[in-house]
Amino acid sequence: MDILQRRRHAALDFNNPGDHLTPAMQIRNEATSTLTEGANPTIAPFNTGLNGVNQPMNLLFRDTLWLSMGAVAIVVLGVRIIELSWAKLRLLSAMSIPGDRQHFWKVKQWSWMPGVKRNLIYAPLWNKRHNREIRLSSAINMGTLPSRLHSVLLALYLASNLAYMFILNWGNENKYSFLAELRGRSGTLAMVNMVPLIILAGRNNPLIGLLQVSFDTYNLLHRWMGRVVVFEVLLHLIAWAVVQVADNGWAGVKEKTLNDRFIGSGMVGTATLVLIMILSLSPIRHAFYETFLNTHIILAFVSFGATWVHCVTATIEGGLPQIPWIIGIFSVWIAERLARMFRLAYCNWSRARGTTTAFVEPMPGETCRVTLSLPRYVDVQPGTHAYLRFSGVRSWENHPFSIAWVEHTTEDELLPISEKDVGAGTSRSFSVKKPVATSVSFVIGAQSGFTRKLYDHAVAGTADLRRPGITIRAAFEGPYAGHHSLDSYGTAVLFCGATGITHQISYLRHLVEGYADGTVATRRVVLVWIVRDFESLEWIRPWMDAILRLPRRKEILHIKLFVTRPKNPREMASASRSVQMFPGRPNIPMLLAKEVHEQQGAMCVTVCGPGGLADDVRHAVRGCQRERGTVIDFVEESFTW
């Protein structure tokens, strides 16, 4: 008999409770059965402890909820393994053949896959809007809408919690006993949901790399799980308060809250969770994000502590059964914080080279180009981001930014030719280049708060007009993400808007170098960059110059630059056929249709930029998904708060 069958059997076998229950639960059931015979109106036993609580059913739903979440993770893991295996096979078979001979990978897919992509995987909740923010005014931001696939998963999660909550003994004639059962169910489910709530909140969440699901998706799930936890905690409080008021009135509630550690800690935990939910409402969160983030962490820690006190000070022997769960929650939270500290210490300190410094250059368009010199070698893949801190610029805050450019510093290392030469002091050795340090560069636009202060600090500290900028101490935490590889695609179309170029330029360099070295299947790379004015090109000029000088670049790379507000039409002269400039905004559906017509091998379309641009590209990609059409995948790089 498996665990669910045992829980179900224990929950339904009310005639022989002693066969399945612990001694404390047997005492509770005996008291409950005595008091509820003949609809006994006794109140007091049902406002504390496990009196009236159907613990076997609670544990059954705990196992069901956790196992269902685990099952979803296993399904996603299976899909990811299949996708990665298919991509690896495509890379190995296509990287040594020209693009016009990659027709097999251009069309090879299940016939139903385009429809699934168009109507579920890439589909917004409805119509076209997904990542474009819903703004009621310039100051009120209501956030974004989940995708259709995310909405289905959230609906299943919410429905299951609702069902588990209200599978109660509705025939119980003693309403106080019924409320005790509801109190136990809501409290148990709140603790059950708090475990994945904390796991998904961390940027070092191991599921990010294992399932290759973005932190943005986990952040969405975290927000909705938090709302469910608050709802269940409030229901837990209300179910207890109704019985307590009926027993001793509101004076009894006040007396218990002030003088009973068990009840007082529960009140504190509930109050902090409600305050967290209020502060996390989208208009407040977006308007005061830095304040929200700091208070969110403090209040979360207080709520965990209050929950632990609530569990260990219960009147039943050994405390509440949820004690191991809250210990697990604390352990996960502390482990994630320690992982951040380890990353910070490893990346930013070296005995030989000291600590990390940053050179911050003010750029046109109220933007900074930031280059961090790390004191040790760090492996940075395309499409990654990092969290940055700067001395003197709200040092307690850290924010994520896409890594645009990476350079490694190397030193010559002498290695012996044979084992006999080791320690022999001979000159028989050869030199190899060993990476010893890394510099990473970012483009950071000045918005408000942290980024605005960084830009103002760079402008105010500029002294040398030949190379304006400042050098300050900084801290690098990362790299994170970088799970999407474009190596196996014959065609890659990269859309970006404004500073979104930082995400895409790392792929440009990698794919062009891989093409020259014969390590990627990519034969056509198209970059579409939309900027406000021509001066924005200065942000990435040294990196783009380096890319344009790469061997065989003209054979693979095509750049289309769209300037929405050109100051001088003469600036729009295209340098070559592979680098073209256009005034205004691009017609994305038409541009993408042209690329599909010229497609070589499988195609991947990626986008990084404002929400409106991302929604336009998503809509165009969905329009290209046709039955028996070509293989077109879509990747959106976003970070919604």
Side-chain angles (χ1 to χ4, degrees), residues 338-511:
L338 289 175
R340 295 189 190 186
M341 293 173 60
F342 175 79
R343 278 182 181 264
L344 280 169
Y346 176 80
C347 293
N348 298 284
W349 179 83
S350 169
R351 182 177 300 177
R353 296 179 176 273
T355 58
T356 298
T357 59
F359 184 72
V360 185
E361 303 172 78
M363 291 276 114
E366 296 190 323
T367 302
C368 291
R369 185 165 64 210
V370 180
T371 299
L372 270 68
S373 299
L374 307 182
R376 65 170 69 243
Y377 169 76
V378 177
D379 184 25
V380 181
Q381 298 298 317
T384 53
H385 64 266
Y387 290 80
L388 304 183
R389 292 176 171 86
F390 297 95
S391 175
V393 185
R394 298 189 178 183
S395 305
W396 62 91
E397 294 183 15
N398 63 97
H399 295 266
F401 301 100
S402 295
I403 299 174
W405 198 256
V406 181
E407 295 285 354
H408 299 297
T409 301
T410 60
E411 288 183 353
D412 291 333
E413 183 179 20
L414 297 178
L415 296 179
I417 295 177
S418 65
E419 293 182 2
K420 295 180 179 180
D421 299 320
V422 178
T426 67
S427 59
R428 297 179 57 189
S429 61
F430 65 97
S431 175
V432 296
K433 295 290 186 181
K434 177 184 177 181
V436 294
T438 299
S439 67
V440 288
S441 299
F442 307 80
V443 174
I444 302 175
Q447 302 297 327
S448 61
F450 174 84
T451 55
R452 171 60 60 180
K453 189 171 180 63
L454 177 65
Y455 175 76
D456 292 342
H457 192 54
V459 172
T462 296
D464 187 355
L465 297 179
R466 292 170 297 177
R467 195 187 180 196
I470 59 173
T471 299
I472 57 177
R473 294 182 62 185
F476 171 95
E477 182 191 337
Y480 291 102
H483 307 306
H484 297 292
S485 172
L486 306 184
D487 294 2
S488 66
Y489 294 96
T491 302
V493 183
L494 316 178
F495 286 89
C496 54
T499 56
I501 186 63
T502 55
H503 178 77
Q504 306 293 32
I505 200 169
S506 62
Y507 281 108
L508 280 188
R509 179 187 187 183
H510 173 76
L511 293 175

Side-chain angles (χ1 to χ4, degrees), residues 140-287:
I140 302 178
N141 186 337
M142 299 300 294
T144 60
L145 293 175
S147 69
R148 194 168 297 172
L149 178 59
H150 290 159
S151 299
V152 170
L153 294 175
L154 288 173
L156 292 174
Y157 168 72
L158 296 174
S160 63
N161 268 273
L162 198 63
Y164 301 152
M165 175 68 69
F166 294 109
I167 298 179
L168 303 168
N169 182 12
W170 293 91
N172 191 341
E173 297 182 9
N174 187 330
K175 69 176 183 179
Y176 304 110
S177 175
F178 175 82
L179 287 171
E181 184 181 6
L182 177 61
R183 170 173 55 83
R185 182 67 48 75
S186 56
T188 298
L189 288 177
M191 288 293 295
V192 167
N193 285 293
M194 204 174 284
V195 175
L197 173 72
I198 299 307
I199 293 175
L200 303 187
R203 64 185 66 153
N204 290 286
N205 169 13
L207 296 177
I208 296 176
L210 182 64
L211 305 182
Q212 298 202 351
V213 174
S214 68
F215 179 64
D216 191 59
T217 296
Y218 288 117
N219 206 10
L220 171 69
L221 298 176
H222 170 77
R223 291 196 295 269
W224 280 97
M225 284 183 175
R227 292 161 186 157
V228 169
V229 167
V230 173
F231 167 76
E232 290 168 343
V233 166
L234 284 174
L235 204 58
H236 181 71
L237 171 63
I238 293 170
W240 169 81
V242 170
V243 180
Q244 184 63 41
V245 170
D247 185 29
N248 291 319
W250 287 104
V253 173
K254 180 180 178 181
E255 192 276 333
K256 287 272 190 180
T257 302
L258 296 177
N259 301 314
D260 188 330
R261 281 197 301 167
F262 175 68
I263 300 301
S265 59
M267 287 291 189
V268 171
T270 301
T272 54
L273 287 172
V274 171
L275 186 55
I276 286 175
M277 189 184 73
I278 293 173
L279 294 177
S280 65
L281 294 174
S282 189
I284 300 175
R285 187 175 73 247
H286 285 86

Side-chain angles (χ1 to χ4, degrees), residues 89-98 102 105 488 520-523:
L89 179 61
R90 184 169 60 203
L91 172 62
L92 293 175
S93 65
M95 67 181 183
S96 59
I97 61 177
Q102 295 186 22
W105 298 109
S488 66
V520 300
T522 311
R523 299 296 178 263

